[in-house]
Amino acid sequence: EGLPACAKPLRRRQGGDLGTTMIDQIIKILLILLLIFTPIAFGSMEIWAFSLMELGIFLIIILGTLQWAFHRTSGIDDHDESIFGRKWTFPTIFLGLFLLLILFQMLPLPVGLLKILSPKTHALRSALSLKPSALSFPLSFYPFLTQIEFLKWVALIALFLFLLQWGALNKGRGTLISVTMFVGIFESLYGMFEFFSGHEHILHVEASTLISSVTGTFINRNYFAGYLSMVIPLAVGYIFYRESFNEDISVGWHRRLSSLDGKTYFLVFGVILMILGLLFSASRMGILSLLLSFTVVALFFRNPERGQRLSKTPIFILGLALLWGALIGLDAVISRFFTVSEGFKGRWEIYANTLQIIKDFPLLGSGLGTFIQVFPAYRSFHVEGFVSHAENDFIQLASEVGLVGIGLLAVAFLFLLYKAFSGIRKLSPEDSRRYIGIGGLVGILALLVHSMVERNIQVPANAYLFTFILALVLRISTKKTESIHHKPN
């Protein structure tokens, strides 16, 4: 009561700072737990696993809302409003329209409107309906499956938009990237142990029929390779980021090598282990994406002032991994490339049938998540079991949400990609953050390339990491100032 008037706002501000700092720490812990949990829980493919992921994300959003309330009540105006200001209105609108489209797919529509929007849906619904007098049908053939996928998209889009404005992301990125690397290293070590030892388990599940190569805790080699294709370039970027603070950066390579600390040696060794894990996954497109990633990284990490055309460090790391892999034996991996025509023959048949679905449901699709149920009606070849995905994330998504849905996502993502590219280009060559930005962006593009011939973005663990890295890259590329003299831990 006896405090001066000017001291009361100060006390409220200190209390608000303490509250927001505590919330930041809880959010950071939740992000770390999800980074660990989502890949280890079989890639979070099971409903219990991705449901826990969604609950964790929604808890983060609730805490973020409480943090915003603390700022408002405490009169604090130093959170990064500019990051989530008008700059991101455009992609937010398109992402919001996409979610509204999915909601629209689940709504029962009058038969007359359904016939206009999707004649094929109307024809099939009318033919299959047990109630000929029904007056309305939804666009989605299986609204329950669409609802499940809708919740995933809501959670990931909400997380992405939250991370864009969460000021503590820049402060905690070193820890979050380190955790991501450690998970990637664990996945590689565990997968190689299960494969080479002949134990052939995925955690507690006996999986001799699934483990024909290294898969980590994922149920499919390609999902595992897709995960590592994002982690490895980000890890290389983080190593460059740490070493850019070395005051003796202009000396020869032998002096720089002797000046490296133990943590850097461990990180480099970890990257080599992850490369080995990806190689022995025998994922053909995963390996090609890896080679493409290192080519791009070596090109953009070069030092023009020293006359470099390519950075030697990424090439050296990749070379060591390939040499180690050759000593162990890459015959089985190389032999898979000689059967590529057989693998693509089956894929082309699936692509052709999926394109027929797009032709029949061109505008609004058959319903998000309904591919597994709709595809059997279009399958033109014999297969044991069933086809669960289209072996291409993009055409499968187009068949489920139509050209309208895929167009909305494409506009939003291309805008974000442009912002990331232009932002990183504007960073000063002395700004060490550009290494993380480039590494993260290369990882994102590597997953997209891999997704052209496989299901990867649909894997919840990969989708979560993709969301996190994209937000991290955009935060780096839009943050104007940061000290470049403080060496990270």
Side-chain angles (χ1 to χ4, degrees):
E1 294 294 334
L3 288 174
C6 62
K8 293 179 181 179
L10 178 61
R11 185 169 65 178
R12 287 198 301 269
R13 182 182 179 87
Q14 291 173 340
D17 283 338
L18 180 61
T20 54
T21 301
M22 185 182 302
I23 292 176
D24 279 337
Q25 289 301 318
I26 297 173
I27 291 173
K28 184 178 176 181
I29 291 171
L30 287 172
L31 286 171
I32 289 173
L33 290 176
L34 288 176
L35 284 170
I36 296 171
F37 170 78
T38 49
I40 291 178
F42 307 103
S44 296
M45 292 294 291
E46 298 291 333
I47 189 168
W48 65 269
F50 65 71
S51 296
L52 285 176
M53 179 192 77
E54 292 165 3
L55 287 174
I57 291 174
F58 289 136
L59 182 55
I60 289 172
I61 303 304
I62 292 171
L63 290 172
T65 304
L66 290 175
Q67 186 181 50
W68 175 82
F70 267 119
H71 280 294
R72 297 286 293 179
T73 57
S74 304
I76 301 174
D77 196 28
D78 58 355
H79 58 301
D80 210 341
E81 291 281 3
S82 61
I83 292 295
F84 196 61
R86 297 177 181 177
K87 186 178 295 184
W88 306 121
T89 300
F90 183 79
T92 302
I93 290 174
F94 278 82
L95 292 173
L97 289 174
F98 174 79
L99 294 179
L100 288 176
L101 171 63
I102 306 309
L103 279 175
F104 186 67
Q105 286 184 331
M106 294 185 283
L107 294 177
L109 301 177
V111 173
L113 180 60
L114 184 66
K115 187 174 183 179
I116 296 172
L117 295 176
S118 182
K120 188 68 174 181
T121 303
H122 173 265
L124 292 176
R125 283 290 193 183
S126 300
L128 298 174
S129 176
L130 298 178
K131 298 179 180 180
S133 60
L135 299 178
S136 62
F137 298 108
L139 284 165
S140 172
F141 276 90
Y142 295 89
F144 178 70
L145 295 179
T146 301
Q147 182 181 355
I148 291 175
E149 293 300 312
F150 174 74
L151 291 175
K152 291 181 190 176
W153 279 88
V154 168
L156 291 170
I157 289 176
L159 176 67
F160 173 70
L161 295 177
F162 168 75
L163 290 177
L164 282 182
Q165 60 83 38
W166 187 48
L169 180 60
N170 284 322
K171 299 176 184 177
R173 64 169 171 251
T175 302
L176 294 169
I177 293 173
S178 296
V179 170
T180 303
M181 291 178 62
F182 292 149
V183 174
I185 294 168
F186 166 78
E187 288 285 345
S188 298
L189 284 174
Y190 177 77
M192 287 189 284
F193 169 78
E194 291 291 343
F195 177 64
F196 289 112
S197 68
H199 188 241
E200 296 184 334
H201 277 64
I202 300 178
L203 298 180
H204 63 282
V205 179
E206 196 280 328
S208 57
T209 59
L210 295 176
I211 299 180
S212 59
S213 61
V214 174
T215 65
T217 60
F218 291 76
I219 61 173
N220 183 288
R221 71 172 117 218
N222 290 298
Y223 307 165
F224 168 71
Y227 182 84
L228 289 184
S229 69
M230 289 186 288
V231 179
I232 292 172
L234 179 65
V236 174
Y238 184 61
I239 292 172
F240 270 74
Y241 167 76
R242 294 186 78 256
E243 290 308 305
S244 65
F245 295 92
N246 191 336
E247 297 297 335
D248 298 326
I249 197 169
S250 61
V251 301
W253 65 269
H254 55 287
R255 290 281 303 277
R256 292 183 62 192
L257 188 64
S258 63
S259 67
L260 298 179
D261 57 19
K263 185 175 181 179
T264 301
Y265 279 115
F266 173 78
L267 294 178
V268 171
F269 182 66
V271 170
I272 293 175
L273 288 176
M274 287 190 284
I275 295 173
L276 284 175
L278 199 156
L279 288 174
F280 286 109
S281 73
S283 170
R284 291 167 296 207
M285 198 60 181
I287 294 172
L288 291 176
S289 297
L290 173 73
L291 297 177
L292 179 62
S293 295
F294 268 84
T295 301
V296 176
V297 166
L299 178 64
F300 283 97
F301 283 6
R302 73 188 190 279
N303 189 343
E305 295 180 358
R306 301 175 65 181
Q308 291 182 343
R309 294 184 177 180
L310 292 172
S311 176
K312 297 178 182 178
T313 304
I315 299 175
F316 177 70
I317 293 173
L318 179 62
L320 284 178
L322 291 174
L323 178 60
W324 194 356
L327 292 175
I328 297 173
L330 291 173
D331 294 346
V333 176
I334 296 173
S335 65
R336 286 207 79 232
F337 283 88
F338 290 101
T339 62
V340 66
S341 59
E342 299 176 9
F344 273 98
K345 180 181 179 181
R347 280 180 165 84
W348 282 117
E349 291 177 326
I350 296 175
Y351 296 162
N353 295 162
T354 307
L355 290 173
Q356 185 61 45
I357 299 177
I358 298 174
K359 182 180 178 181
D360 285 348
F361 306 91
L363 291 179
L364 302 175
S366 63
L368 184 65
T370 62
F371 177 86
I372 192 172
Q373 298 290 344
V374 174
F375 186 79
Y378 289 83
R379 194 182 67 203
S380 62
F381 56 92
H382 174 72
V383 64
E384 295 183 6
F386 59 93
V387 177
S388 62
H389 55 278
E391 303 288 358
N392 182 308
D393 278 328
F394 307 110
I395 64 171
Q396 178 174 333
L397 190 60
S399 73
E400 295 177 344
V401 301
L403 299 180
V404 174
I406 201 74
L408 291 171
L409 287 178
V411 170
F413 181 75
L414 289 174
F415 177 86
L416 295 170
L417 198 63
Y418 167 76
K419 282 292 184 182
F421 270 117
S422 60
I424 291 173
R425 286 188 61 187
K426 292 176 182 177
L427 292 176
S428 167
E430 290 78 27
D431 194 333
S432 56
R433 295 172 302 160
R434 71 185 185 93
Y435 294 117
I436 297 178
I438 293 171
L441 197 55
V442 169
I444 288 169
L445 295 177
L447 185 75
L448 293 176
V449 170
H450 196 175
S451 295
M452 295 175 66
V453 294
E454 188 50 68
R455 173 167 65 176
N456 251 310
I457 301 176
Q458 298 177 64
V459 178
N462 292 355
Y464 176 79
L465 183 61
F466 182 94
T467 301
F468 165 72
I469 294 178
L470 181 58
L472 180 69
V473 170
L474 287 166
R475 286 299 306 239
I476 289 173
S477 62
T478 54
K479 189 71 175 176
K480 293 182 179 180
T481 58
E482 179 182 278
S483 172
I484 61 175
H485 303 292
H486 178 66
K487 186 173 182 177
N489 295 325

